[in-house]
Amino acid sequence: MNCIICPVCGEALDKENRSLKCINGHCFDRAKEGYVNLIAGAHKKGSLIGDNRAMALSRRSFLEKGYFDALVEELISLIRERALPCPLILDICCGEGYYSHRIKEAVDCELYGFDISKEMVRLAAKRKNDCEYLVANLSRIPVRDKSVDIAFHLFAPFHEKEFSRIMKDGGTLITVVAGENHLFELKEILYDTPYKNDEKPPETEKLVIKEKRKITRRVHLSSREDINALFEMTPYYYRTSDRDKEKLSAYEELDVTVDFCIFIY
Ligand SMILES: C[S@@+](CC[C@H](N)C(=O)[O-])C[C@H]1O[C@@H](n2cnc3c(N)ncnc32)[C@H](O)[C@@H]1O
Ligand SMILES: [Zn+2]
């Protein structure tokens, strides 16, 4: 626990009963689900609430069906390849905790996950999997400098300054972005001129890309519910007109490409 720092003063946060407390008396209570909100009472901004409950639930329902399992398996291999004894792993923008949960089951490690969305973190904590889940902001990651062995960061904003601050020397940051063909069949249904993703890694000067890996699979979505859950997980959902959204309702099943680009810094 001593890698977690107080978002107000930066001192270590230690467990005290059902709270986390620093030497300056800043105290953060554990919610009944088990997570700790490190934004409440500190750097809280009304606009920074992250993904809502509906988004959290569709993400959970979709990921639990295993459609992205090839990606989880690759993450587990990447961690095992490092052969570190009980590494400290951080799931940055952890969402509802699918990836951290699977990794914690597979690897002996100390695992922390954080996200700005309380709804996401609440769902993650309900997994009761021995990971520590926190509500926190990427721009102020509540962990000590150079304390993380392996961090992963999937489909979420990049923050070079914070990432380079928290990683141990020689540590591994794994960033996953959508590959060029990711969900192309879905886009073909929705748009007249679907475009491919550009696969550009986040720009950085302080972190060095050592390797790029690709995972590409075709998955069969077997219900309208799964098609909608996937669509709702994407940024396109919020940019698509109701008229275009309607086009998907004709589909009960869909074969779709999942294409992930993994950058290892
Ligand atoms: C597309 S989701 C990916 C979630 C998870 N990594 C996954 O793949 O299932 C992006 C996540 O980033 C979180 N997020 C966005 N901005 C954030 C910030 N400034 N600090 C922390 N989390 C943030 C959102 O709440 C959301 O859960
Ligand atoms: Zn403090």
Side-chain angles (χ1 to χ4, degrees):
M1 175 55 59
N2 64 2
C3 74
I4 301 298
I5 56 171
C6 173
V8 182
C9 67
E11 294 291 344
L13 279 178
D14 290 313
K15 284 187 182 161
E16 197 179 291
N17 302 321
R18 278 190 60 83
S19 311
L20 298 182
K21 206 169 174 183
C22 76
I23 49 164
N24 294 318
H26 304 122
C27 186
F28 302 87
D29 294 337
R30 206 170 276 286
K32 68 175 189 306
E33 294 86 353
Y35 69 91
V36 180
N37 186 347
L38 294 180
I39 294 184
H43 299 268
K44 191 174 187 174
K45 274 194 198 151
S47 59
L48 288 181
I49 50 160
D51 290 9
N52 63 32
R53 187 168 164 75
M55 290 156 93
L57 288 171
S58 31
R59 184 163 286 272
R60 159 130 327 160
S61 120
F62 183 84
L63 291 173
E64 283 297 333
K65 292 187 176 156
Y67 291 120
F68 286 9
D69 271 9
L71 174 59
V72 185
E73 281 151 22
E74 189 64 27
L75 292 174
I76 292 171
S77 308
L78 266 162
I79 294 168
R80 289 196 173 132
E81 283 165 32
R82 266 114 200 112
L84 297 168
C86 199
L88 194 150
I89 302 183
L90 181 66
D91 184 354
I92 296 169
C93 300
C94 62
E96 52 70 56
Y98 180 70
Y99 299 92
S100 39
H101 184 71
R102 291 286 308 275
I103 287 167
K104 184 72 183 164
E105 277 178 342
V107 185
D108 179 29
C109 62
E110 201 180 326
L111 215 158
Y112 299 84
F114 77 89
D115 197 285
I116 202 169
S117 157
K118 199 158 88 175
E119 295 300 342
M120 289 284 190
V121 174
R122 178 180 288 148
L123 273 189
K126 280 184 173 174
R127 292 177 177 277
K128 303 283 180 228
N129 58 10
D130 217 19
C131 298
E132 177 78 73
Y133 289 109
L134 305 162
V135 179
N137 193 339
L138 188 63
S139 63
R140 264 183 112 86
I141 300 179
V143 309
R144 265 195 299 119
D145 297 2
K146 296 185 192 277
S147 59
V148 178
D149 290 301
I150 299 171
F152 55 95
H153 161 255
L154 317 184
F155 317 109
F158 199 83
H159 201 296
E160 179 180 14
K161 190 162 156 256
E162 280 296 87
F163 294 176
S164 50
R165 179 183 68 76
I166 63 170
M167 297 307 300
K168 277 188 187 164
D169 292 335
T172 305
L173 172 73
I174 301 167
T175 286
V176 178
V177 303
E180 64 170 351
N181 293 310
H182 192 53
L183 311 185
F184 194 73
E185 298 81 355
L186 191 77
K187 293 192 222 171
E188 279 181 317
I189 296 170
L190 293 168
Y191 309 122
D192 296 334
T193 46
Y195 61 88
K196 297 202 169 189
N197 299 317
D198 65 14
E199 282 194 7
K200 270 217 303 261
E203 302 263 340
T204 146
E205 285 172 6
K206 294 185 175 143
L207 297 154
V208 183
I209 297 178
K210 296 279 184 187
E211 196 187 334
K212 172 183 173 179
R213 293 190 193 179
K214 283 275 304 205
I215 303 280
T216 309
R217 300 281 188 281
R218 288 269 285 187
V219 297
H220 178 73
L221 305 180
S222 52
S223 68
R224 187 178 290 178
E225 185 200 354
D226 291 358
I227 298 170
N228 284 334
L230 174 62
F231 183 36
E232 282 168 33
M233 273 166 60
T234 67
Y236 321 125
Y237 184 75
Y238 298 89
R239 293 183 212 140
T240 304
S241 68
D242 287 345
R243 217 189 82 221
D244 281 345
K245 277 183 186 161
E246 218 10 67
K247 296 177 188 164
L248 263 191
S249 59
Y251 291 81
E252 298 282 352
E253 315 179 57
L254 188 65
D255 282 320
V256 67
T257 303
V258 295
D259 188 20
F260 308 108
C261 212
I262 305 176
F263 295 104
I264 301 153
Y265 294 87

